[in-house]
Amino acid sequence: MDELIGEFLAETAESLDTIDVELVKFESDPTDRATLDNIFRLLHTIKGTCGFLGLSRLEAVAHAGETLLGKFRDGTLVADSAAVTLVLQSLDRIKLVLAGLEETGNEPAGDDSALIAELEALAMGEAAAPAPAPEPEPEPEPLIAEADGPYDADLGRPLRPGEVSLADLEAAFLATEGPELAGTVLEEETETETGIEADDEPAFGAPAVPARSASGPSAPAGAADGDAARSDGVRAQSTIRVNVDVLETLMTTVSELVLARNQLHQIVRENEDSALKGPLQRLSSVTAELQDGVMKTRMQPVGDAWRKLPRIVRDTQQDLGKKIRLIMDGEDTELDRQVLELIKDPLTHMVRNSADHGIEIPAARLAAGKPETGTIRLSAYHEGGAIIIKITDDGAGLDPDKLRAKALEKGLATADELATMSEQQIQRFIFAAGFSTAAKVTNLSGRGVGMDVVRTNIEQIGGSIDLASEKGKGTSFAIKIPLTLAIVSALIVKAGDARFALPQLAVRELVRAGEGSAHSIESLNGARMIRLRNRLLPVVSLNTVLGLPETSSDASHGYVVVIEAAGRKLGVVVDDVLDTEEIVVKPLSAQLRGIQVYSGATLLGDGSVIIILDPNGLSQQLAHSSEETQAADEMAVSAVDPSRQRLLLVRAGEDDVKAVPVSLITRLEEFDGSSIEVVDARHVVQYRGRLLPLAHASGVDVFKRDGRQAVLVFSEEDRSAGVAVDEILDVVEETLDLQMGSERPGVIGSAIIKGRATEVLDIAWHMERAWSGSPQRPARAGRHPILLVEPDAFARRMMAPLLAAAGYDVTVVSGLREARDAAQMGAQYAALVGDPAALDTLASEGHWADVPRLGVSERAHGMHSEGMLAVMRPADRGGLIAALDRAARTGETRAA
Amino acid sequence: MALDYQTSREFVTVRIAGQLCGALVSEIREVFAPQAITAVPLARPEIAGLLNLRGRIVTVVDARIRLGLPPRDPEAPCMSLGLERGAELFGVLVDEVGEVLRLGQDTFEPVPAHLDPRWRSLLSGVHRLETELLAILDMDRLIAADMAMAA
């Protein structure tokens, strides 16, 4: 195609996009003179170029539109919605003709007379008076009752009515205050923060699209504007158009350079005293700079993907009779061109969805107490090595009931499964294929093929999408995508003899699992997991996923790489972890692309080919979501012999071994003896920014001066205390059967542990000591008596020892009859614990009416009744004790 | 008898499990000895793996397995035909590479109808040579991604 036409097409397409945005802006504030002038100037330029290139059809349409705009400028016509719609229509017609031009190299044949007539009619204030298309002949228009325009040297003909000479226009433009670049200050700040020059203005100098809401306040005229206009001119000259293919080639070449540099590194690394070291260093830094530079050329502001959105929202408003405000924040945030291309459609789809299904009609909004105009907010910002884009609306939000019904209907889940799902999980159903709860599928957002395609598109580029929604309040989507696809940081891991790469972006932490470490790989019916900070994390063995033979690592130890993908965390068991490298991502051939767990391949510095793993693919290998696994885990934990507890064996004071239930301990720490200080006669140590009071488990507060002092940290709500021991011996699992009670403070009783009589420490007492600081303080008068009402045998067996070990005097009854008997005998308790229904029944019968009740049940939600402090889950042992302590304290003031 | 330049074509001959096969020279970019093939777990059996050829990643297909022939002895030498399809590079593993022959239409026969379906789909014809038959491989089909195995 003619090069001139090619350039014309590119430039005009950009101009038209800008005019679209500007028009929408102008429509919401018709007094915005600056914007109008801008639109006029752009359209005029287009018209002029069309005339120059002999594109008569385009010229005619552009001229008619320009005439109408001229009327807005003079003030002879008010720019109402109808008028603006008409101008937009003329723009659409121009785009249509341009498309035809692009295809064939010539203007397609077509009749625009109707459109032109409408434009002129409106301009002349007449009602649909037909006017012939203006002809480029040097004769005055007979229909228009205006004087012939003067002859214009630039155009080589007299000016048409309504036409302004180029020279006049230039003069007018230079004299007019330009549009204020919204948040000019904001722009500069962003620039200095990111250190990237936003140098990508189109060559003909259209000012940057301001980060303004479509209905926001118009740019106030001011001295700043003049500067802005001038700086625009300067900016325009410092940009250049480069063919995208050239950039691609450049990028590939630089990638090869990075690889070659890595190879050299490898060689030099092995050769200790190589003379190459110095030059290689220089080469390295130069390559890094080059890499950065080329990456920058690929960066485009995300606003480019948002350009079409104001128009789309405006059209939706018109079509559906809604009032919507679009706010765009952070459009200067830059990301890789390739990534931008891939998210354009998903973003458009989501905004359409918000406008179409999210925002309610004005009447409904008012009825709900919301402002008539709905808001859709787009924001973008950098975080880590990724860009976060959020789309938030204050519309109707997602209706969980509708979603549940739809899920049932589509057979995506059974009623039982739905009942156990959290609202978050239910909301994620919208990402399922074919899901759409829109009662009326408008042609704007189409059928529910949308969101699952959106998610797939985003995940394919290594990103993730999440949502939060509240019925009646609104919905918010958050998309996280890597800044660039081409060169990524990756962790190299080993499975068997083979090496694989894991994108650093997805890696959360690295854990050593196995004997001798804090975590071990545990297994339940084939499902593997590790304990990580009081939670269970599902793990999967890389060898297993790849179908490779299992190694010893898989069984019980190895490295576990904790990754996060698609909102889920999981651990990947590998045989070894090597280092982190910067790798160039090369796509796999079609034959291998279908393998879910691979996302590409790369060449390492030593020339070997290794495969890049896809975190999303790995995460999908897991059968359950983490929430389901958690529920399963909790059941699993209680399904394990309930009366067995994990006990920490320690030495404290005398030679005998003492035991502490592990579930009560928050953390095991070791402090340097020298860091233990004495404040106000109390021993404390600085811990996580606070002072941790200490007591010694032996009862005698003597701590190590030097060397490491082992301390068991207990946390309860907002308080923590440390109980020091001489030595931590072992962790065992035993049935805690308290044989003998003890009157000695600090000890609950004895139990047989590992065949020996072992004292079980009264942690509560020690903690009290630590907090109060006075070792002479007697134990609380007796221990709190509590009643455990639990019909379920194994729950009884599990809870009773736990409560006893926490320092309570537990009376256990298995049913209401025994409880009533106890009541009749006048027993008093500080608190009642157990089956919520039973406790409520007792209360309603008047037994222990004032005594605080603490329910324990698998289904912990929505079961509060008056007087019941809380309903805890049996697996939440720590929480149970804490709640009980609180309850007992309040009970203390009431019970006898 | 001189071959008509217009209607004759050049083939590079290879041996795969004893069978002489040929590929159009115009489709072959190069011939190389494969080094250090990285296996790709979970891939189809005919994908031998990936290798690095002058800085580019090549997907290696094992012709023996593709044709349903017994796998070669790991110690046995092999060569690879290099092809380029769009932006992707492929290597096809064969036992040996022979000479280049120029053959005319007169020795060409269409694929025999009684051949098993797999071979039938992977060959584009047969040339009758003096002492044996030369099976002409359809390279595109050989490396194709969606290989529907005929029942």
Side-chain angles (χ1 to χ4, degrees), chain A residues 598-731:
Chain A
Y598 298 152
S599 72
T602 186
L603 295 174
L604 286 186
D606 61 1
S608 53
V609 181
I610 68 167
I611 296 168
I612 305 171
L613 300 170
D614 182 359
N616 288 320
L618 287 171
S619 149
Q620 271 154 35
Q621 290 288 323
L622 243 56
H624 311 283
S625 70
S626 66
E627 287 112 327
E628 287 177 30
T629 321
Q630 189 192 323
D633 292 341
E634 284 177 348
M635 292 205 303
V637 163
S638 52
V640 167
D641 189 350
S643 53
R644 287 175 81 79
Q645 283 198 56
R646 297 192 103 212
L647 299 165
L648 181 73
L649 297 181
V650 299
R651 207 185 298 282
E654 311 125 357
D655 283 316
D656 295 336
V657 175
K658 315 255 193 300
V660 182
V662 167
S663 51
L664 297 180
I665 306 175
T666 308
R667 212 172 284 109
L668 293 178
E669 295 283 356
E670 261 193 342
F671 297 111
D672 203 313
S674 56
S675 63
I676 300 176
E677 307 167 73
V678 179
V679 169
D680 197 18
R682 267 191 261 169
H683 288 90
V684 296
V685 69
Q686 289 185 34
Y687 182 56
R688 295 182 175 218
R690 304 181 67 169
L691 286 180
L692 183 75
L694 295 177
H696 201 283
S698 64
V700 178
D701 283 356
V702 175
F703 304 92
K704 285 211 177 103
R705 289 286 168 76
D706 38 9
R708 313 284 292 169
Q709 172 71 62
V711 174
L712 316 181
V713 180
F714 297 86
S715 290
E716 185 193 293
E717 284 183 284
D718 48 355
R719 310 200 281 174
S720 295
V723 179
V725 299
D726 293 331
E727 201 185 333
I728 294 175
L729 299 169
D730 201 3
V731 176

Side-chain angles (χ1 to χ4, degrees), chain A residues 533-651:
Chain A
R533 290 189 296 277
N534 292 335
R535 302 203 62 173
L536 285 174
L537 182 77
V539 299
V540 70
S541 155
L542 189 54
N543 284 317
T544 311
V545 168
L546 297 174
L548 297 175
E550 278 208 7
T551 59
S552 58
S553 314
D554 305 317
S556 56
H557 63 274
Y559 291 91
V560 178
V561 183
V562 181
I563 63 175
E564 184 167 350
R568 300 206 283 255
K569 274 206 179 136
L570 77 143
V572 180
V573 183
V574 298
D575 294 326
D576 201 0
V577 172
L578 305 174
D579 37 47
T580 306
E581 295 206 21
E582 282 221 339
I583 56 171
V584 178
V585 177
K586 304 244 175 189
L588 288 171
S589 57
Q591 285 77 344
L592 302 167
R593 230 169 271 156
I595 303 178
Q596 211 184 36
V597 292
Y598 298 152
S599 72
T602 186
L603 295 174
L604 286 186
D606 61 1
S608 53
V609 181
I610 68 167
I611 296 168
I612 305 171
L613 300 170
D614 182 359
N616 288 320
L618 287 171
S619 149
Q620 271 154 35
Q621 290 288 323
L622 243 56
H624 311 283
S625 70
S626 66
E627 287 112 327
E628 287 177 30
T629 321
Q630 189 192 323
D633 292 341
E634 284 177 348
M635 292 205 303
V637 163
S638 52
V640 167
D641 189 350
S643 53
R644 287 175 81 79
Q645 283 198 56
R646 297 192 103 212
L647 299 165
L648 181 73
L649 297 181
V650 299
R651 207 185 298 282

